[in-house]
Amino acid sequence: MVPDAPFERPSSAASDAARLRPASEGRERAAMAAVLEVADHVGLDAEAAGIWRAGSSVLVGLPVARVLGRVDDPRRVDAACRQVIASEVMAERGVPAITLTGPADQPVLTEAGPVTLWRWLDAHGVEASPEGLGRLARRLHDATRGGVEGVAPYDPLTAVAAELERAAELGLTDERDLGLLDGHIARLRATWPAPEDDPLGVAVVHGDLHRDNAIVTDEGLVLADLELAGVGPAAADLVPHVVAVRRYDASPRVLEELMQGYGRELHVWPGLEVMVEAYELWVTAWSVANRGGSAVLAAEAEVRLDHWRPGRDSSRPWSLR
């Protein structure tokens, strides 16, 4: 299989270990302890373990064992289960995606949250191309056309609500802004499209398909971060690129290249616009819930909130996370 990005040396245990950092606060320390406990239980080498990334979930790297432990919010057992089921379905249908390792039964429920352990891929330090993402989306949709029994419906608004709960606990966002976003959840639920109305059909969708959620390997692109995966309108996997053009100041060419890879035209229909708004709400809620991470994240949260505040729509482009 031809990679979908220029060749660059893949990562190694040493180079990946250098990207890790110590746990810096209570949530990260609890996640680290949970992953180490699960790893010890199944005999995985946890030497040089560290935090890979922290956001909606906390990723803990075990570079020697070549494992990434993911700890989701304790309230998001559903998100962890979605990832497990989606990964298994994709493996059965021949769609390249991250795969579990370690315990037979996952997620493992801990006080820190549901833990899942994933094989750490040897990734190239390059981004997936829009055309490559289009081909990967089409491959997923063709392999799961009509949906798959046991896979839950695509439901990004539940994920938005969970992020707003996290933001409320953080206490850095005005309650009026959180209430405003919560109101949009209700509005979008009331107008949510029937999946069968999508001209592209119904399939298992990734739900957050952008360049950071597909890993470039020697064998090609591999889907990662499956927390929004579910059965829904196939166009849901094209929405992130629509939003990239509308909000992130991306060139319209990226959407054209995505559709070239997908092999179909993007049909504009009422349901597409609802899903675009839902995705905009999702990335806004993510930004608000993670605003405490840095001054840059705090400023970005305000830019995105301005889009939803009456009379305050900002013309400033959003920044890709």
Side-chain angles (χ1 to χ4, degrees), residues 1-6 127-133 135-136 216-217 220-221:
M1 185 182 297
V2 178
D4 289 305
E127 295 178 344
S129 68
E131 188 172 354
L133 289 171
R135 287 195 293 269
L136 188 54
V216 180
T217 72
L221 291 182

Side-chain angles (χ1 to χ4, degrees), residues 185-254:
I185 294 177
R187 176 178 61 82
L188 291 171
R189 280 203 187 282
T191 57
W192 195 252
E196 58 270 20
D197 290 344
D198 185 350
L200 296 180
V202 177
V204 173
V205 298
H206 178 279
D208 193 16
L209 187 60
H210 56 76
R211 65 191 185 192
D212 293 328
N213 284 341
I215 302 167
V216 180
T217 72
D218 282 343
E219 289 73 36
L221 291 182
V222 177
L223 288 170
D225 200 354
L226 308 175
E227 70 173 295
L228 295 185
V231 175
D237 279 337
L238 312 178
V239 162
H241 280 69
V242 176
V243 174
V245 173
R246 292 187 184 181
R247 301 295 168 203
Y248 294 104
D249 206 25
S251 167
R253 182 63 186 162
V254 302

